[in-house]
Amino acid sequence: MKTNIVVGLDIGTTKIAVIVAQKNEHGKIEILGIGDTPSAGVMRGSVMNIDKTVESIRIAVEKAELISHHKIKDVYVGIAGQHIRSFQRRNEIIRTSDEEITKAEVEDFVNLMKKIQVEPGEKILHVIPQEFIVDNVPEINDPVGMSGRTLAANFHIITGQYSAIKNIQRSVEKAGLEVKDLILEPLASALAVLDDKDCAAGVALVDIGGGTTDIAIYHHDDKPRHTAVIALGGNAITEDIQSGCLIIDTQAKKLKEEFGYALAEATKEDVIISIPGLRGRPAKEISRKNLSGIIQARMEEILELVLNEIRASGYENKLIAGIVLTGGGAKLKHVIQLTEFVTRTDTRIGYPTEHLSASEKNNEIANPAYATGVGLVMAGFDLEEPLEIPKIEESPIEENPVEELPAAKPKKQEKNRSKSLWISLKKRLLDGLDGFMENDIKED
């Protein structure tokens, strides 16, 4: 018996989060369980140590299972990292007749783009049709049912490094799970924090993670017009504090989260923070204004790079809905004011509660750091039939702890698992996101 449950796995640089969710009778998402743990083995979005990553995934999964009382087998996994690249491509086909264009014909056209040559060592992640042209008639969202002798389209193509993709898949499989799909993380985050009005007006989604800052720009409709990954994130700020104050990593992180401001002018000079010394050494003291100055300098650098990407996209003056910040870095105090100062663009914080049930609005999930995880769950609901997840029999944790799950045997999947490209607004942002299937990642 199938249940309406899906699981998202966010493998981040600072944390690994597993979110188990279901849809209620009103179509809203209910979170059944969250499991997260500090990430080990991941650097700037890429897996650098498989064994450490596997262990972190297992811990997060066990926590989510204990809370949700469901055994996790299949997951939708986010992918980011500085190896991600995107570009635009236009293609055209000559039809043999002027009969009505069919859905299968359009899907074949999109699949054809998945076979184009890319840089050595890269693999195509997503092919997203942005608009179609039928007999030189432009700006067609859905050509199905139209007649014409030529069919053309502008595509947004996202690629990733083959080895990085393979390492993610190996880590998940060694943790006893199966990858249902790989989805670019900023697209997942956009699903969680943006709505149709944002996308139609023009908006830049900026997800500030630990290792990277991910960008997705939308305009006119629900399809991304530009995506990018910047190889700087919240960890760079922590490292700056650590070296600037000569303290250990955990102290620097705590200073950033509890006392740090993204805008130094908002702090008071006379506030002094005392940092305990190590092994009997005297405590260190730092003014809150100096701490915020360190944070602001690095945040300004990140935001300047974001602005450069917005300018490169050609949509700098078309973002009526402005910038939406999400991710762990969006929790910095006064980050909105600094972003607006650097970019001269209206800014707000994006919380992943847009599509959650009313009971979820004020709980743990209402946190920008979980935007990617919630978006992965939403992508799972839109892309696939509900996952079959067997129930775990409830028993006292002390007597029967959840045992380590055996490695799941790879399932044979259809290589061309096609989904309709022309879905309702409810399935917004997901056109062309076929994700990686297991067969696509096997060695050639």
Side-chain angles (χ1 to χ4, degrees), residues 125-371:
L125 277 169
H126 301 308
V127 173
I128 305 172
Q130 296 182 324
E131 67 169 0
F132 290 89
I133 303 98
V134 178
D135 284 351
N136 296 319
V137 178
E139 298 183 359
I140 298 171
N141 286 329
D142 184 359
V144 175
M146 298 183 66
S147 298
R149 295 305 300 269
T150 63
L151 175 62
N154 296 319
F155 295 94
H156 185 71
I157 299 173
I158 301 169
T159 66
Q161 192 175 68
Y162 183 88
S163 59
I165 295 164
K166 192 73 174 178
N167 287 337
I168 290 176
Q169 171 134 353
R170 282 180 178 145
S171 299
V172 175
E173 290 178 347
K174 284 190 173 183
L177 306 172
E178 182 180 345
V179 178
K180 295 293 287 184
D181 270 297
L182 287 175
I183 299 170
L184 187 67
E185 289 188 358
L187 301 186
S189 298
L191 273 174
V193 304
L194 301 181
D195 61 21
D196 299 312
K197 291 181 181 179
D198 290 325
C199 297
V203 65
L205 184 283
V206 179
D207 187 337
I208 307 174
T212 63
T213 297
D214 306 330
I215 303 167
I217 296 175
Y218 296 83
H219 186 266
H220 181 63
D221 56 23
D222 55 10
K223 303 179 182 69
R225 301 290 164 173
H226 183 80
T227 55
V229 176
I230 296 170
L232 282 176
N235 280 4
I237 299 173
T238 303
E239 291 168 3
D240 289 347
I241 297 171
Q242 183 179 0
S243 60
C245 300
L246 297 177
I247 55 178
I248 61 176
D249 177 77
T250 54
Q251 292 175 328
K253 185 177 180 181
K254 187 173 181 179
L255 277 179
K256 179 182 71 174
E257 294 175 350
E258 295 187 11
F259 304 102
Y261 280 20
L263 196 61
E265 292 180 359
T267 64
K268 296 180 180 179
E269 287 192 57
D270 58 352
V271 176
I272 302 297
I273 305 165
S274 179
I275 306 166
L278 296 177
R279 299 177 64 85
R281 293 183 176 88
K284 295 178 180 290
E285 292 185 344
I286 181 173
S287 73
R288 192 168 192 171
K289 192 173 186 68
N290 288 341
L291 172 65
S292 298
I294 294 172
I295 295 172
Q296 180 176 337
R298 180 63 78 174
M299 273 303 302
E300 283 183 345
E301 180 185 4
I302 293 172
L303 292 171
E304 288 286 356
L305 294 173
V306 168
L307 182 58
N308 289 341
E309 287 294 339
I310 292 174
R311 287 171 175 165
S313 74
Y315 291 94
E316 180 181 6
N317 298 317
K318 300 177 182 179
L319 303 179
I320 297 175
I323 293 173
V324 176
L325 297 176
T326 194
K331 296 190 294 181
L332 272 174
K333 302 175 186 68
H334 295 290
V335 69
I336 291 177
Q337 290 87 334
L338 181 61
T339 303
E340 291 182 338
F341 174 77
V342 173
T343 65
R344 305 298 181 191
T345 304
D346 290 341
T347 302
R348 69 174 175 86
I349 303 298
Y351 296 91
T353 56
E354 182 75 25
H355 307 277
L356 300 184
S357 64
S359 61
E360 307 287 357
K361 299 292 185 180
N362 298 314
N363 70 7
E364 180 185 5
I365 201 68
N367 183 332
Y370 290 117

Side-chain angles (χ1 to χ4, degrees), residues 34-67:
I34 302 173
D36 59 15
T37 188
S39 180
V42 181
M43 183 178 295
R44 292 182 178 173
S46 297
V47 174
M48 307 302 290
N49 186 307
I50 289 181
D51 290 340
K52 289 183 178 179
T53 303
V54 168
E55 183 61 26
S56 296
I57 292 173
R58 284 176 174 163
I59 293 171
V61 167
E62 288 177 3
K63 289 181 178 179
E65 287 180 331
L66 286 173
I67 296 172

Side-chain angles (χ1 to χ4, degrees), residues 417-436:
R417 180 177 55 181
S418 299
K419 292 291 176 185
S420 173
L421 297 173
W422 318 120
I423 50 184
S424 64
L425 287 177
K426 182 179 179 183
K427 294 184 177 182
R428 60 190 174 76
L429 309 175
L430 286 167
D431 289 340
L433 300 188
D434 284 338
F436 253 128

